[in-house]
Amino acid sequence: MDLLAARPDARLHPDALHQAPTTGHRYGGNQALTAGLVHATASAADLLSHAVDGAHQLAGTRGPTLGAIKKTMYAQVLSTLRSPMSGAEHQQWSTQPAMS
């Protein structure tokens, strides 16, 4: 499994997984929601309150049980991400933001 595909492949619908990297398609909020890229959308004015509400709803799920479930569900992804990447030591890293 390729490192770049490891994470998205685990959660995205195949159509979205194909469209974004092959066409450079950019998703707006509602389109990202429909494609399954996000769980919810909110206006800028409501963003903080929605985020805090979501965090409160998830607070009870934290702990070792959820961690064990996720480790099992994403075992292949975690293995790929932990594997050394050939050529990384020669990569030129930039501190400048990418041009869009």
Side-chain angles (χ1 to χ4, degrees):
M1 179 183 292
D2 182 72
L3 182 62
L4 293 175
R7 182 67 180 126
D9 187 40
R11 300 198 53 183
L12 293 181
H13 186 277
D15 291 341
L17 183 61
H18 172 79
Q19 185 179 33
T22 60
T23 67
H25 182 78
R26 294 181 182 252
Y27 293 84
N30 289 331
Q31 194 177 30
L33 185 63
T34 301
L37 299 173
V38 298
H39 296 289
T41 61
S43 68
D46 294 331
L47 185 59
L48 181 59
S49 65
H50 280 268
V52 170
D53 289 345
H56 282 286
Q57 291 173 10
L58 294 173
T61 66
R62 68 184 205 123
T65 302
L66 181 60
I69 290 169
K70 287 186 174 186
K71 284 179 185 175
T72 301
M73 289 174 62
Y74 300 111
Q76 187 175 4
V77 172
L78 292 170
S79 175
T80 300
L81 293 173
R82 289 182 180 127
S83 298
M85 191 171 91
S86 170
E89 64 277 5
H90 302 294
Q91 178 67 43
Q92 296 293 319
W93 303 102
S94 173
T95 58
Q96 301 299 317
M99 299 298 287
S100 52

